Amino acid sequence: MKRIFKNQIALALAGILAGTSAVAGTLVINGDTSDPAPKAAFQAVIDGFEAENPDVDVVYNLFDHEGYKAAIRNFLSADAPDIAFWYAGNRMAPFVEAGLFAPIDDVWADQGLYSLMASSAPGMTMDGQKWGIPYTYYNWGVYYRQDIFENLGIAVPTNWDEFMAAGETLKANGITPITIGTKYLWTAGGVFDYLNLRTNGYEFHMALTSGDIAWTDDRVRATMANYQQLIDGGFFLENHAALSWQEALAPMANGEAAMYVMGNFAVAPLKELGLDDSSLGLFQFPAITPGVPMAEEAPTDTIHLTAGAKNPVDAKRFLAYAARPDVQTAWNKALGQLPTNAGAGVTDDKFLNQAFNMLNNDAPGGVAQFYDRDTKAEMASIGMEAFQEFMVKPERLEKILERLEKARQKLY
């Protein structure tokens, strides 16, 4: 009989409530899928695993989202479950470095994941080893007014010159090229990520967000020069600093703006504002530096074998199950997101199908996690504030880069 414990925790109780001692045949999982849809989706995964493995009893300790982030280091250190939910990339790195996650290269090899999960593999790799299973992600890209592009004879841009030319045509017709709301800062982080990924590539981007490269490096300046080209060219909505990302949807819906560098979660509210599949489209952020492999932005959720697992054998059985194409197909259909396994199916949705192809076939450069996941929390806050400031006052670039560099030296 499966047992699911729903823990609403406070940080002070985190270490006490986090652990549940395992016995033979018991698999303990700690997670934060507390919202109704993801909770039901993961329950179905548990049910399917237990049906195929009747000798295993899954105990799922359910935390609220914010409490989980506060508690995870405590329970991994004090009384670790067998499996823990977390995130890919640099958000995973501290737990690997602290010896709190265990490598699972054997699961990747046995399940053929090196090819089936090639696009998300870099975000799961440290020191040449794989440290978890990515089970879902959602894409970013350039959502655009397909009908406006068609009416003005604008082809979908594939490189920087075409992108700039498309913007000039839009401006000539009284349309702001890119809507954005930077009131809560993170949207500016998404724009910076794509510009840096396209200017310098995935490896450089990850080294920068890991604190290994100076913000005053000439390659960062090249990224910021491309950013400034958009700012000076009037490509962004003028009052973006006063708008939330949701408020910035309206100019695109009413035709005042034509593009939005945004995640897939924007599709539903744009449709609620009156757009449909004939008027709304998606394209890959265009290439900038010739020869730099195309990398994508796709925040990835993951599950990990903990170093303190009491039942690592059954934990690896579960991780292998969670990686299977059929399991990821059903799991992500319930989530309304994308499976990381290239052999999985995608729900019948124009944008999800296009994004799945983009991430699995058109992103040879790798998959980044988003600025505030790829760098330390303190650095992310300073960085995103700097990007917004730059968009408003681009003449402050040198002072901004110097401030970011001082922060890097202090935090890393």
Side-chain angles (χ1 to χ4, degrees), residues 193-218:
D193 281 354
Y194 267 115
L195 289 168
N196 197 43
L197 288 167
R198 295 292 185 263
T199 303
N200 295 305
Y202 175 84
E203 291 184 3
F204 178 89
H205 184 71
M206 298 308 294
L208 178 67
T209 54
S210 296
D212 297 331
I213 293 174
W215 280 89
T216 51
D217 188 287
D218 285 345

Short mmCIF file of all heavy atoms in Angstrom, two decimals, residues 193-218:
data_model
loop_
_atom_site.label_atom_id
_atom_site.label_comp_id
_atom_site.label_asym_id
_atom_site.label_seq_id
_atom_site.Cartn_x
_atom_site.Cartn_y
_atom_site.Cartn_z
N ASP A 193 20.45 36.07 -21.68
CA ASP A 193 20.86 34.68 -21.90
C ASP A 193 20.95 34.37 -23.39
O ASP A 193 21.95 33.83 -23.87
CB ASP A 193 19.88 33.72 -21.25
CG ASP A 193 20.09 33.60 -19.75
OD1 ASP A 193 21.06 34.16 -19.23
OD2 ASP A 193 19.26 32.94 -19.09
N TYR A 194 19.89 34.71 -24.12
CA TYR A 194 19.89 34.38 -25.56
C TYR A 194 20.97 35.15 -26.31
O TYR A 194 21.65 34.60 -27.18
CB TYR A 194 18.52 34.63 -26.17
CG TYR A 194 17.66 33.39 -26.16
CD1 TYR A 194 16.50 33.33 -25.40
CD2 TYR A 194 18.04 32.27 -26.89
CE1 TYR A 194 15.73 32.18 -25.37
CE2 TYR A 194 17.27 31.11 -26.85
CZ TYR A 194 16.11 31.07 -26.10
OH TYR A 194 15.36 29.92 -26.07
N LEU A 195 21.13 36.42 -25.98
CA LEU A 195 22.16 37.19 -26.65
C LEU A 195 23.55 36.62 -26.38
O LEU A 195 24.39 36.54 -27.28
CB LEU A 195 22.10 38.65 -26.20
CG LEU A 195 20.89 39.45 -26.71
CD1 LEU A 195 20.79 40.78 -25.97
CD2 LEU A 195 20.96 39.66 -28.21
N ASN A 196 23.80 36.20 -25.15
CA ASN A 196 25.12 35.65 -24.81
C ASN A 196 25.31 34.26 -25.40
O ASN A 196 26.39 33.93 -25.90
CB ASN A 196 25.30 35.62 -23.29
CG ASN A 196 26.75 35.45 -22.90
OD1 ASN A 196 27.65 36.07 -23.47
ND2 ASN A 196 27.00 34.60 -21.92
N LEU A 197 24.26 33.43 -25.37
CA LEU A 197 24.35 32.10 -25.97
C LEU A 197 24.62 32.20 -27.47
O LEU A 197 25.40 31.40 -28.02
CB LEU A 197 23.05 31.33 -25.73
CG LEU A 197 22.80 30.84 -24.31
CD1 LEU A 197 21.34 30.38 -24.16
CD2 LEU A 197 23.75 29.69 -23.96
N ARG A 198 24.01 33.16 -28.13
CA ARG A 198 24.19 33.30 -29.58
C ARG A 198 25.50 34.02 -29.93
O ARG A 198 26.06 33.79 -31.00
CB ARG A 198 23.01 34.06 -30.19
CG ARG A 198 21.67 33.35 -30.08
CD ARG A 198 21.63 32.10 -30.94
NE ARG A 198 20.31 31.50 -30.91
CZ ARG A 198 19.95 30.50 -30.12
NH1 ARG A 198 20.84 29.96 -29.28
NH2 ARG A 198 18.73 30.00 -30.15
N THR A 199 25.98 34.87 -29.05
CA THR A 199 27.22 35.60 -29.32
C THR A 199 28.44 34.75 -29.01
O THR A 199 29.41 34.72 -29.77
CB THR A 199 27.28 36.90 -28.49
OG1 THR A 199 26.12 37.70 -28.79
CG2 THR A 199 28.53 37.71 -28.81
N ASN A 200 28.39 34.04 -27.86
CA ASN A 200 29.58 33.33 -27.37
C ASN A 200 29.42 31.84 -27.18
O ASN A 200 30.41 31.14 -26.99
CB ASN A 200 30.00 33.95 -26.02
CG ASN A 200 30.45 35.38 -26.16
OD1 ASN A 200 31.34 35.68 -26.93
ND2 ASN A 200 29.81 36.29 -25.42
N GLY A 201 28.20 31.32 -27.21
CA GLY A 201 28.00 29.88 -27.09
C GLY A 201 27.73 29.40 -25.68
O GLY A 201 27.93 30.10 -24.69
N TYR A 202 27.26 28.15 -25.62
CA TYR A 202 26.82 27.54 -24.37
C TYR A 202 27.94 27.43 -23.34
O TYR A 202 27.76 27.78 -22.16
CB TYR A 202 26.23 26.16 -24.66
CG TYR A 202 25.84 25.37 -23.44
CD1 TYR A 202 24.61 25.57 -22.83
CD2 TYR A 202 26.70 24.42 -22.89
CE1 TYR A 202 24.24 24.85 -21.71
CE2 TYR A 202 26.34 23.68 -21.76
CZ TYR A 202 25.10 23.91 -21.18
OH TYR A 202 24.75 23.19 -20.06
N GLU A 203 29.11 26.94 -23.75
CA GLU A 203 30.18 26.72 -22.78
C GLU A 203 30.64 28.03 -22.15
O GLU A 203 30.89 28.11 -20.94
CB GLU A 203 31.36 26.01 -23.44
CG GLU A 203 31.05 24.56 -23.83
CD GLU A 203 32.26 23.85 -24.39
OE1 GLU A 203 33.35 24.44 -24.43
OE2 GLU A 203 32.10 22.67 -24.79
N PHE A 204 30.74 29.07 -22.95
CA PHE A 204 31.11 30.38 -22.42
C PHE A 204 30.03 30.88 -21.46
O PHE A 204 30.33 31.39 -20.38
CB PHE A 204 31.31 31.39 -23.55
CG PHE A 204 31.64 32.78 -23.06
CD1 PHE A 204 32.96 33.15 -22.85
CD2 PHE A 204 30.64 33.71 -22.80
CE1 PHE A 204 33.28 34.42 -22.38
CE2 PHE A 204 30.94 34.98 -22.33
CZ PHE A 204 32.27 35.34 -22.12
N HIS A 205 28.78 30.74 -21.87
CA HIS A 205 27.66 31.21 -21.04
C HIS A 205 27.68 30.52 -19.69
O HIS A 205 27.51 31.17 -18.64
CB HIS A 205 26.34 30.97 -21.76
CG HIS A 205 25.15 31.50 -21.03
ND1 HIS A 205 24.88 32.84 -20.91
CD2 HIS A 205 24.15 30.85 -20.36
CE1 HIS A 205 23.77 33.01 -20.21
NE2 HIS A 205 23.31 31.82 -19.85
N MET A 206 27.87 29.21 -19.69
CA MET A 206 27.88 28.48 -18.43
C MET A 206 29.09 28.84 -17.58
O MET A 206 29.00 28.89 -16.35
CB MET A 206 27.83 26.98 -18.69
CG MET A 206 26.57 26.51 -19.42
SD MET A 206 25.04 27.07 -18.61
CE MET A 206 25.13 26.16 -17.08
N ALA A 207 30.22 29.09 -18.22
CA ALA A 207 31.41 29.51 -17.46
C ALA A 207 31.19 30.89 -16.84
O ALA A 207 31.59 31.15 -15.70
CB ALA A 207 32.63 29.53 -18.37
N LEU A 208 30.53 31.78 -17.59
CA LEU A 208 30.23 33.11 -17.06
C LEU A 208 29.28 33.02 -15.88
O LEU A 208 29.52 33.64 -14.83
CB LEU A 208 29.64 33.99 -18.17
CG LEU A 208 29.23 35.41 -17.75
CD1 LEU A 208 30.46 36.24 -17.38
CD2 LEU A 208 28.43 36.08 -18.87
N THR A 209 28.21 32.27 -16.03
CA THR A 209 27.23 32.18 -14.95
C THR A 209 27.75 31.35 -13.78
O THR A 209 27.19 31.41 -12.68
CB THR A 209 25.90 31.59 -15.46
OG1 THR A 209 26.14 30.33 -16.11
CG2 THR A 209 25.22 32.55 -16.42
N SER A 210 28.82 30.60 -13.99
CA SER A 210 29.46 29.86 -12.89
C SER A 210 30.50 30.70 -12.16
O SER A 210 31.11 30.22 -11.20
CB SER A 210 30.13 28.59 -13.43
OG SER A 210 29.17 27.71 -13.98
N GLY A 211 30.73 31.91 -12.64
CA GLY A 211 31.68 32.79 -11.98
C GLY A 211 33.11 32.63 -12.43
O GLY A 211 34.04 33.14 -11.79
N ASP A 212 33.33 31.92 -13.54
CA ASP A 212 34.69 31.63 -13.99
C ASP A 212 35.25 32.67 -14.96
O ASP A 212 36.42 32.59 -15.32
CB ASP A 212 34.73 30.25 -14.66
CG ASP A 212 34.36 29.14 -13.70
OD1 ASP A 212 34.61 29.30 -12.49
OD2 ASP A 212 33.82 28.11 -14.16
N ILE A 213 34.41 33.59 -15.41
CA ILE A 213 34.83 34.59 -16.40
C ILE A 213 34.46 35.98 -15.89
O ILE A 213 33.38 36.18 -15.32
CB ILE A 213 34.16 34.32 -17.76
CG1 ILE A 213 34.70 33.02 -18.37
CG2 ILE A 213 34.37 35.48 -18.73
CD1 ILE A 213 34.01 32.58 -19.63
N ALA A 214 35.35 36.91 -16.09
CA ALA A 214 35.12 38.28 -15.64
C ALA A 214 34.02 38.95 -16.46
O ALA A 214 33.94 38.75 -17.69
CB ALA A 214 36.41 39.08 -15.73
N TRP A 215 33.21 39.76 -15.81
CA TRP A 215 32.16 40.50 -16.51
C TRP A 215 32.74 41.62 -17.37
O TRP A 215 32.04 42.17 -18.22
CB TRP A 215 31.14 41.03 -15.51
CG TRP A 215 30.18 39.97 -15.10
CD1 TRP A 215 30.33 39.09 -14.06
CD2 TRP A 215 28.95 39.64 -15.74
NE1 TRP A 215 29.25 38.23 -14.02
CE2 TRP A 215 28.39 38.55 -15.03
CE3 TRP A 215 28.25 40.16 -16.84
CZ2 TRP A 215 27.17 37.98 -15.39
CZ3 TRP A 215 27.05 39.60 -17.20
CH2 TRP A 215 26.52 38.51 -16.48
N THR A 216 34.00 41.94 -17.17
CA THR A 216 34.66 42.95 -17.99
C THR A 216 35.39 42.34 -19.18
O THR A 216 36.07 43.05 -19.93
CB THR A 216 35.65 43.75 -17.13
OG1 THR A 216 36.50 42.83 -16.43
CG2 THR A 216 34.93 44.62 -16.12
N ASP A 217 35.23 41.03 -19.37
CA ASP A 217 35.83 40.33 -20.50
C ASP A 217 35.28 40.90 -21.82
O ASP A 217 34.09 41.25 -21.91
CB ASP A 217 35.50 38.84 -20.39
CG ASP A 217 36.22 37.98 -21.41
OD1 ASP A 217 35.84 38.03 -22.59
OD2 ASP A 217 37.14 37.25 -21.02
N ASP A 218 36.12 40.98 -22.83
CA ASP A 218 35.70 41.53 -24.12
C ASP A 218 34.55 40.74 -24.75
O ASP A 218 33.75 41.29 -25.50
CB ASP A 218 36.88 41.58 -25.09
CG ASP A 218 37.85 42.71 -24.77
OD1 ASP A 218 37.47 43.62 -24.00
OD2 ASP A 218 38.98 42.68 -25.29
#
